[in-house]
Amino acid sequence: MSALGAMGVAGATAGCATAAGRQSVAAPHQVHDGLMTFIGSYTSSQPAGRGVDIAMRDMNGLLAPSGTLDGVADASFFAWSPDHKFLYATNEQEQGTITAIDVSTHEPRVINTAPSGGNSPTHLSVHPSGEFLFTANYGDGTVTAHRRNPDGSIGENTALVKHPGTEPHAHQVVVDPSGKWVVAVDLGAESVFVYAFDAGKLTQHQQLTLPAGTGPRHLVFKGTTAYLLAELNSTITVLAWDPKTGNLTAGQVISSRAPEAGGENAPAEIAISRDGQFVYASNRGDDTIATFGVENGSLVFQAVTPTGGNWPRHFALDPEETSLFVANQRAGTVTRLARDTNTGALTPTPDSYACPSVAVITFHG
């Protein structure tokens, strides 16, 4: 069923707060002008999410619901094809699956769903060539490669590797900027793995082991530098990256929290501005987004900004990078922080989109 045709009760009840605190509610089958936005949520959680919401973001940054895509359970992460015509989602369940979505029209549709090759997939990415899709399976610490078919559907599984250790938990898998290496972050193995990738096969090249208790979760590349966020000890490690040798080297370690912060905290997501000048990290527990300046590759703490919600699992900059949208999982909201493109500073806004057990957000632009 198409997104707009699957509006139903979920779409009719979701809301987006305006600056005056009102709820702007979309009528069923209404097509909105603006930027198509996809919001993933946990259908197996309580309260139950809707899987995949489609919303439209207007020029003022407001999200208005436009439909719910049927048939995508526990959508916890998204990845785009290079041409942005296809979107891929992890279905974070014990018998893991991944789903391909055709987004080439204004009526997104599910193409197919395939086994992820492991347990509880939490992350996926598409090779810059568009020919392969990689998935990190958190539950059993495996990473898989699937071929992408010409119609955007998920094809055959071409590789499956299992991380070493007593309790590996592969949390992320990405392709380095050169497109030659596949990098997987494993929270349980306390390691970042670098794989050579050739003809659909993954061959381990490096295991960079972090100190015990680090709990690495996600990293983001910018040229020959990567910034690694750790869930267990609330740190960011700056990694030097050599694409010729395929080796990572650990350098600066800085806290993801404000100096005065205390109590429970579990960072979740990290991102870098397009110009490479600012790094952002979410703190679950503190319920903040931390902002860092980049100076000669090192990070300098600038500020933390409250997200306006509880347990910020994921966030994303919009294509213009004038706003940062936060998926507050326990609050069941997507909130918007305004962003100054010159200073990188974030400012809370009253804008809030309701989505139970929200996990992830991405933009079509």
Side-chain angles (χ1 to χ4, degrees):
M1 181 179 290
S2 74
L4 301 179
M7 184 69 178
V9 175
T13 57
C16 177
T18 67
R22 296 180 291 106
Q23 295 288 313
S24 64
V25 179
H29 311 294
Q30 181 177 350
V31 179
H32 296 272
D33 292 329
L35 179 64
M36 189 179 292
T37 305
F38 293 83
I39 301 168
S41 55
Y42 290 103
T43 55
S44 298
S45 294
Q46 292 298 325
R50 295 183 287 267
V52 177
D53 280 16
I54 296 94
M56 291 293 177
R57 190 222 61 184
D58 68 17
M59 295 304 295
N60 295 316
L62 294 178
L63 293 172
S66 186
T68 302
L69 187 64
D70 290 343
V72 189
D74 292 312
S76 64
F77 207 85
F78 293 132
W80 287 99
S81 62
D83 60 10
H84 266 227
K85 292 182 178 180
F86 302 96
L87 181 66
Y88 298 88
T90 54
N91 310 123
E92 193 177 331
Q93 299 179 330
E94 185 172 354
Q95 299 298 319
T97 56
I98 49 180
T99 295
I101 302 166
D102 185 344
V103 191
S104 60
T105 71
H106 276 277
E107 292 198 356
R109 64 180 183 87
V110 171
I111 307 172
N112 75 327
T113 295
S116 69
N119 182 332
S120 301
T122 55
H123 193 274
L124 76 175
S125 59
V126 180
H127 193 275
S129 68
E131 296 180 2
F132 292 92
L133 176 71
F134 306 101
T135 305
N137 296 292
Y138 180 86
D140 57 4
T142 58
V143 172
T144 59
H146 285 80
R147 197 175 299 279
R148 283 185 69 239
N149 296 323
D151 66 353
S153 62
I154 300 163
E156 65 174 333
N157 184 326
T158 65
L160 188 154
V161 294
K162 184 175 177 62
H163 291 162
T166 58
E167 201 171 345
H169 293 300
H171 218 310
Q172 185 196 38
V173 58
V174 296
V175 182
D176 88 297
S178 75
K180 296 191 299 183
W181 307 94
V182 174
V183 179
V185 180
D186 194 300
L187 186 150
E190 303 275 20
S191 297
V192 180
F193 295 88
V194 179
Y195 292 95
F197 182 69
D198 182 57
K201 302 301 180 184
L202 293 166
T203 304
Q204 185 176 319
H205 174 75
Q206 182 193 20
Q207 178 181 354
L208 176 67
T209 303
L210 284 303
T214 300
R217 179 182 171 100
H218 279 188
L219 63 73
V220 61
F221 276 102
K222 189 65 177 180
T224 56
T225 304
Y227 302 93
L228 175 67
L229 182 66
E231 180 174 337
L232 299 186
N233 71 355
S234 297
T235 62
I236 301 172
T237 301
V238 180
L239 306 173
W241 169 243
D242 187 335
K244 293 182 179 180
T245 63
N247 289 320
L248 289 162
T249 304
Q252 177 196 17
V253 179
I254 188 172
S255 175
S256 70
R257 313 176 74 181
E260 68 276 9
E264 177 190 18
N265 192 62
E269 184 60 298
I270 188 166
I272 190 166
S273 59
R274 192 177 297 115
D275 62 12
Q277 297 302 303
F278 302 97
V279 168
Y280 300 94
S282 68
N283 287 299
R284 297 178 297 181
D286 295 348
D287 296 335
T288 61
I289 302 295
T291 301
F292 299 86
V294 178
E295 296 183 7
N296 299 317
S298 296
L299 295 181
V300 178
F301 174 79
Q302 291 189 343
V304 292
T305 306
T307 68
N310 185 358
W311 215 246
R313 184 184 185 275
H314 183 261
F315 65 87
L317 291 162
D318 62 9
E320 302 85 359
E321 297 196 340
T322 55
S323 294
L324 185 148
F325 289 80
V326 187
N328 299 289
Q329 183 179 351
R330 293 180 181 175
T333 59
V334 175
T335 50
R336 184 177 73 88
L337 306 179
R339 178 177 181 269
D340 186 312
T341 56
N342 292 317
T343 67
L346 303 175
T347 304
T349 78
D351 303 339
S352 180
Y353 178 99
C355 182
S357 299
V358 64
V360 64
I361 181 170
T362 192
F363 301 97
H364 189 208

